[in-house]
Amino acid sequence: MSDSDRLDPPVKLRLPDIAGMRARHQPIVMVTAYDAPSARLADQAGVDMILVGDSAGTTVLVGTSTVPVSMDEMLVFTRAVSRSPTRALVVADMPFGSYQPSEDLAVANAIRLVKEAGADAVKLEGAGRTITRISGIVEAGIPVMGHIGLTPQSATLLGGYRAQGRTADAAERLVREAVALERAGCFAIVLEAMPALVAERITGAVTVPTIGIGAGAACSGQVLVWHDLLGLSPGGVPRFVKQYADIGAAIAHALRAYAEDVRTGAFPEAQHTYGMPDAERQKLEERSAGPKPTAR
Ligand code: KIV
């Protein structure tokens, strides 16, 4: 192999790379993942950031909300994801209850996600009281991504899973929240489910990248949930999702074919089984054909 044939190993992205992408108007690509094979595929596809979302509560743990997701569960998902990527930045969601009670708890749990599970950064939902938690975590040396608009952990308080910022007052509040998140030290901010115009205003009001989900095209990047994007969400997807594949149907088709083959004896075939050296097989056959041991 000549030097020119050798591929350079991918270089791990750092925060200045993400900031530089916004500065160059180069769209940032983020997707969620909850396990190592998915993270490897996302990384190989050139995704810039992988979010270990607490959406795991609905996608993987098949609950109806992200609220019950625990720190222990997030640690397992994050560990699985962070073992794979070589280039993508891994951001771990801080689950509900892991940062609200106090700044100390927020810092301790953020440290666990980085130190025990290998995350590069953490994500917290909301502004308000979350701001002090974010500054505490940033002061501890951990990069933080903010998240405003529809924040699923407080969906009940927000009146359900519905778009936010649809009045002038609510839109201005979101802009103020984004500015406060930037001041608190966030390196990027997720904008979820809000009018495109509001996301555009927010993106113009801050210098850090905005990552949209249901927030239009003016954001610095986009994020989608793995299961929604790939057709693995059985109950349908929100209107802002574009589904790029129907992997669920492909998996169901493959599993039905496998079950059919097992039931009809079509699987396994000779090429799926192990043989024995001829001499050993002969020995075994002679032994089975020989006299049976007498019972005492
Ligand atoms: O948990 C998650 O997947 C998220 C994204 C929807 C941004 O927070």
Side-chain angles (χ1 to χ4, degrees):
M1 187 195 270
S2 75
D3 275 355
S4 58
D5 291 334
R6 210 164 278 139
L7 286 176
D8 284 336
V11 176
K12 178 88 183 173
L13 290 178
R14 293 160 197 266
L15 298 190
D17 298 314
I18 302 296
M21 290 173 81
R22 163 163 187 164
R24 291 190 301 277
H25 301 288
Q26 184 183 333
I28 299 163
V29 183
M30 181 158 97
V31 69
T32 69
Y34 317 98
D35 58 43
S38 309
R40 180 172 44 81
L41 289 170
D43 198 48
Q44 286 170 353
V47 162
D48 304 307
M49 291 196 279
I50 298 177
L51 172 65
V52 190
D54 62 355
S55 50
T58 53
T59 55
V60 178
L61 302 175
V62 201
T64 52
S65 146
T66 60
V67 168
V69 177
S70 68
M71 261 306 286
D72 285 344
E73 286 162 342
M74 286 310 297
L75 286 167
V76 172
F77 294 134
T78 306
R79 206 173 288 134
V81 166
S82 63
R83 281 198 186 127
S84 265
T86 46
R87 175 183 174 275
L89 207 81
V90 175
V91 182
D93 245 337
M94 295 199 64
F96 183 67
S98 70
Y99 58 95
Q100 289 88 349
S102 72
E103 191 180 318
D104 284 351
L105 185 69
V107 173
N109 280 326
I111 288 174
R112 290 193 73 193
L113 286 165
V114 170
K115 193 166 167 171
E116 293 175 34
D120 298 307
V122 297
K123 177 167 82 59
L124 280 71
E125 290 186 8
R129 191 181 290 182
T130 304
I131 297 286
T132 58
R133 312 295 188 253
I134 290 172
S135 11
I137 296 169
V138 173
E139 271 167 33
I142 297 172
V144 175
M145 178 177 275
H147 181 165
I148 54 172
L150 171 53
T151 44
Q153 292 176 9
S154 37
T156 311
L157 196 67
L158 297 174
Y161 293 90
R162 48 161 55 150
Q164 302 295 305
R166 299 183 87 169
T167 64
D169 283 350
E172 281 176 358
R173 194 162 50 246
L174 284 175
V175 175
R176 283 197 299 275
E177 287 180 356
V179 170
L181 288 176
E182 177 171 32
R183 284 207 190 110
C186 286
F187 76 93
I189 305 170
V190 168
L191 308 181
E192 179 163 354
M194 63 181 69
L197 175 65
V198 180
E200 190 179 345
R201 288 280 167 87
I202 293 173
T203 303
V206 296
T207 61
V208 293
T210 55
I211 310 293
I213 174 161
C219 298
S220 326
Q222 299 290 327
V223 56
L224 280 179
V225 168
W226 184 266
H227 290 62
D228 295 345
L229 158 72
L230 294 173
L232 287 163
S233 296
V237 292
R239 58 168 282 161
F240 55 72
V241 170
K242 180 168 175 186
Q243 196 181 309
Y244 284 84
D246 197 356
I247 304 297
I251 291 175
H253 178 76
L255 290 175
R256 274 197 294 271
Y258 165 61
E260 168 80 5
D261 277 5
V262 171
R263 288 178 185 133
T264 60
F267 174 81
E269 296 164 75
Q271 75 262 28
H272 306 122
T273 58
Y274 295 101
M276 267 176 108
D278 281 350
E280 292 302 319
R281 187 166 43 101
Q282 208 176 339
K283 220 191 280 177
L284 185 66
E285 277 165 5
E286 281 166 10
R287 280 184 199 167
S288 344
K292 298 244 176 333
T294 46
R296 272 192 273 179

